[in-house]
Amino acid sequence: MNKDPKKEMIDRLAAEARSGGLSRRDFMHYSLAAGVTAAAASGLWTTHAAAQTPKQGGTFRVGIHDNNTSDTHDPGTYLTVQNIFLTHTHRSYLTLINTDQTLGPDLATEWTSSPDASEWTFKLNENASFHSGKKVTATDVIASMNHHRGEESTSAAKSLLTDVVDIVADGDYAVTFKLSGANADLPWLMTDYHLAICPAKDDGSIDWESGDGCGPYKIDEGEFGIGFKLSRHDGWHGEGAYFDKVEMIALNDPNARQTALVTGDVDAVSLIDLKTMALMERNPNVVIDNVPSGSTLTMPMHCNKAPFDNADVRNALKLAMNRDEIIEKIAFGAATKANDFHHSPSMPYWPDDIPQRDYDPDQAKSLLKKAGAEGLTIDISSAESIYSGAVDLCVLYAEHAKAAGITINVVREPNDGYYSDVWLKKPYCVVAWGARPTPDVMYSLAYKDDAAWNESFWINERFNELLRQGKGELDDGKRAEIYREMAILARDDGGTLIPFFRNFVYARSKKVQHSGSLAASWELDGCRAASRWWFA
């Protein structure tokens, strides 16, 4: 049967309009050009494109991967996707990453810096309130930031705030950060998912235990590792929060997640099994969102333990992976090849001229001989909950490594407790990292010598010197040169193998709508689907 070209064109126009990529004026213009009457085109706009208009109501049920029963409401310990999605649903930050990847306001309505970027002042939204009814003030912001500062702090975000000398209130609704030097990225840094704003206690600490927040939804009930039920916060200061209620359901198993979506038990899932992506795309009731990002899997080797304390061994293991085959067979093309430095093409100052490290088992074998480590045998830990195919990735990597004379034993770890029992404890494992907005934020979190999340325990004096320089360099050209040298050091001396930067691939029911533009910072629209999406 021949297809009607007019109908095909109208369908394409309607799809573009629904995604927000076509204005009403352009929709009418192209419809008329296709031979549709003005009255019919207007009706089509109302039927199709107007579906993009947010509507209030309903309960949004979302299946979340990467849940641990050991998670808590303490923002300094946030780690899993369960934590990250929940905090972006029930708590707020000073700033946020918009759906077009730009920086936008959350609790802060505006921010300004001194000429040398050593002081930053954030003005707060005076309409913001906690779920308990208390107004959000500068006192809460200061206490929330200080939770991650000081010698006694055990927060994973402690390294991000080491340059902060003091934080002072300017009245009830403004705070000023005073730094030891320049930091042009401070407003971006405030989007880090640990830096949620919690209510202050009288002693200057924060009340994180209660789960009180000032985000779009308040927690009604829930348990980590099982799920949470939330309802709209009437005092929400921002845009969105179109659903009446939100239900988070812990679904670590990929088959269980996808089955729940297909059967209608949930309205969206945070991660799909890439092996079945093509099949799910053929389901008329399911929509797949495939979003390129700076998120990645890392494979950190503990540089303070043999055999990983030898740079030649580390580089041999990096050369022993065929990344092209990994991307084809594990990521199913939904990824960008990485080069063993944690600086993605989605970040500013991307050093695209550094030669790509490719699969070279002969060179790997030569490096092992130089290191006196011929016939190397090692274990690598992985779990399916951190990425669909994470265990298979290691199995395929082990096959690649055989050509270099390396034996890799793949250890499948339990999904629950992976980050508390394996990461930072076992000397070689697979870790899922979300995207970070700038290289300074990423390197400060995971590569800085004293960072709590320096997952490879790598210490390089030159790298840390450059990190300090880059943070305070206001000249973009010089800053790009600094980050390029840092990338080369991480690639050639660092303890982290990075196979690829992964796309966020998640799915939703066709009745769930969004703007058509999706944040690339985390799954599910920067983990803000609960407040940004709506039912058709």
Side-chain angles (χ1 to χ4, degrees):
M1 180 182 293
N2 293 328
K3 295 182 179 179
D4 183 350
K6 182 187 294 186
K7 184 180 184 302
E8 283 190 306
M9 183 174 185
I10 292 301
D11 287 343
R12 287 198 299 270
L13 290 172
E16 188 71 12
R18 280 195 298 273
S19 71
L22 201 66
S23 68
R24 185 183 190 281
R25 178 179 179 180
D26 287 340
F27 179 86
M28 295 293 289
H29 171 77
Y30 290 120
S31 296
L32 292 172
V36 180
T37 67
S42 181
L44 285 168
W45 172 264
T46 301
T47 302
H48 295 291
Q52 180 191 337
T53 304
K55 294 179 176 63
Q56 203 85 31
T59 298
F60 179 54
R61 303 160 302 164
V62 55
I64 299 293
H65 75 286
D66 189 22
N67 305 267
N68 282 338
T69 55
S70 58
D71 287 348
T72 76
H73 288 304
D74 179 357
T77 67
Y78 287 166
L79 187 60
T80 63
V81 173
Q82 173 183 234
N83 271 143
I84 298 166
F85 187 86
L86 179 62
T87 190
H88 283 97
T89 303
H90 85 112
R91 284 178 169 157
S92 290
Y93 297 77
L94 286 179
T95 57
L96 57 75
I97 296 176
N98 292 315
T99 58
D100 63 356
Q101 322 316 325
T102 58
L103 188 67
D106 191 344
L107 281 170
T109 57
E110 60 181 279
W111 46 92
T112 55
S113 76
S114 60
D116 65 352
S118 65
E119 284 193 10
W120 285 89
T121 297
F122 295 82
K123 292 187 178 180
L124 306 179
N125 191 320
E126 298 185 21
N127 296 319
S129 66
F130 289 102
H131 304 149
S132 57
K134 176 183 175 296
K135 296 280 285 184
V136 180
T137 69
T139 301
D140 303 303
V141 173
I142 293 170
S144 297
M145 294 299 153
N146 286 340
H147 181 70
H148 308 278
R149 300 176 61 225
E151 293 183 3
E152 301 301 317
S153 174
T154 59
S155 168
K158 181 178 179 179
S159 63
L160 294 179
L161 300 175
T162 53
D163 296 335
V164 178
V165 176
D166 198 9
I167 310 173
V168 297
D170 182 8
D172 287 340
Y173 298 106
V175 291
T176 297
F177 289 70
K178 298 184 178 182
L179 314 178
S180 59
N183 189 342
D185 285 349
L186 189 74
W188 283 98
L189 189 151
M190 291 296 111
T191 67
D192 184 84
Y193 63 86
H194 300 95
L195 304 181
I197 306 304
C198 299
K201 295 181 179 179
D202 292 339
D203 63 359
S205 64
I206 56 170
D207 168 24
W208 59 262
E209 298 91 342
S210 68
D212 192 9
C214 50
Y217 293 88
K218 58 184 177 181
I219 296 175
D220 296 325
E221 59 179 284
E223 184 176 346
F224 287 108
I226 297 176
F228 287 87
K229 293 183 178 181
L230 306 95
S231 57
R232 188 190 300 114
H233 172 40
D234 291 335
W236 169 236
H237 57 274
E239 297 180 359
Y242 303 111
F243 302 114
D244 294 330
K245 296 180 182 294
V246 175
E247 291 185 13
M248 286 177 57
I249 303 167
L251 293 172
N252 281 337
D253 182 77
N255 292 326
R257 281 196 305 276
Q258 292 178 193
T259 299
L261 179 63
V262 171
T263 59
D265 291 328
V266 298
D267 304 301
V269 293
S270 58
L271 180 70
I272 67 166
D273 187 338
L274 296 175
K275 293 191 292 291
T276 61
M277 178 169 58
L279 179 64
M280 290 194 71
E281 285 176 330
R282 293 199 291 270
N283 187 325
N285 297 314
V286 172
V287 180
I288 305 294
D289 290 306
N290 191 342
V291 185
S293 78
S295 173
T296 188
L297 298 185
T298 63
M299 302 169 77
M301 303 166 251
H302 289 189
C303 297
N304 57 354
K305 295 179 182 178
F308 308 117
D309 55 352
N310 187 306
D312 288 328
V313 171
R314 300 196 294 266
N315 282 327
L317 286 164
K318 295 173 184 177
L319 289 162
M321 174 180 282
N322 185 334
R323 297 160 208 259
D324 292 322
E325 189 174 14
I326 292 284
I327 290 172
E328 176 191 353
K329 294 184 177 179
I330 304 300
F332 293 86
T336 302
K337 190 192 295 189
N339 204 11
D340 296 332
F341 51 87
H342 211 143
H343 185 167
S344 79
S346 66
M347 293 180 184
Y349 313 111
W350 164 245
D352 60 357
D353 63 333
I354 297 177
Q356 173 68 45
R357 171 174 281 133
D358 288 314
Y359 182 48
D360 193 337
D362 291 334
Q363 186 182 356
K365 189 181 294 186
S366 175
L367 288 173
L368 289 177
K369 183 177 181 179
K370 177 184 173 186
E374 293 174 283
L376 179 69
T377 298
I378 57 170
D379 293 344
I380 188 167
S381 293
S382 187
E384 199 65 19
S385 64
I386 59 174
Y387 177 77
S388 178
V391 175
D392 289 342
L393 183 155
C394 293
V395 172
L396 184 55
Y397 173 38
E399 287 297 313
H400 298 158
K402 288 179 180 178
I406 302 171
T407 299
I408 299 178
N409 301 314
V410 180
V411 181
R412 181 190 286 267
E413 303 282 359
N415 290 328
D416 188 33
Y418 184 83
Y419 282 105
S420 57
D421 300 334
V422 177
W423 182 54
L424 297 175
K425 292 182 174 63
K426 297 201 174 181
Y428 201 21
C429 68
V430 181
V431 182
W433 280 87
R436 295 308 194 276
T438 68
D440 174 71
V441 174
M442 190 67 252
Y443 288 141
S444 295
L445 272 175
Y447 288 74
K448 193 170 182 285
D449 50 5
D450 60 353
W453 285 3
N454 180 357
E455 59 181 357
S456 68
F457 299 91
W458 177 57
I459 297 176
N460 183 293
E461 292 183 7
R462 176 58 179 166
F463 183 92
N464 284 281
E465 177 187 350
L466 289 165
L467 182 61
R468 290 189 290 271
Q469 291 178 13
K471 192 185 297 288
E473 180 56 66
L474 301 181
D475 182 280
D476 277 347
K478 293 179 180 178
R479 208 171 188 205
E481 292 175 6
I482 289 170
Y483 290 128
R484 183 182 186 280
E485 184 178 346
M486 290 171 68
I488 292 173
L489 287 170
R491 174 186 183 272
D492 296 340
D493 185 62
T496 302
L497 189 164
I498 305 179
F500 53 72
F501 292 100
R502 63 189 179 108
N503 291 8
F504 288 129
V505 184
Y506 43 88
R508 54 192 162 91
S509 162
K510 68 175 183 179
K511 69 181 181 180
V512 178
Q513 301 289 307
H514 57 59
S515 68
S517 179
L518 296 164
S521 49
W522 290 101
E523 295 90 343
L524 295 168
D525 205 352
C527 273
R528 291 181 179 272
S531 59
R532 288 176 171 169
W533 297 4
W534 63 90
F535 287 126

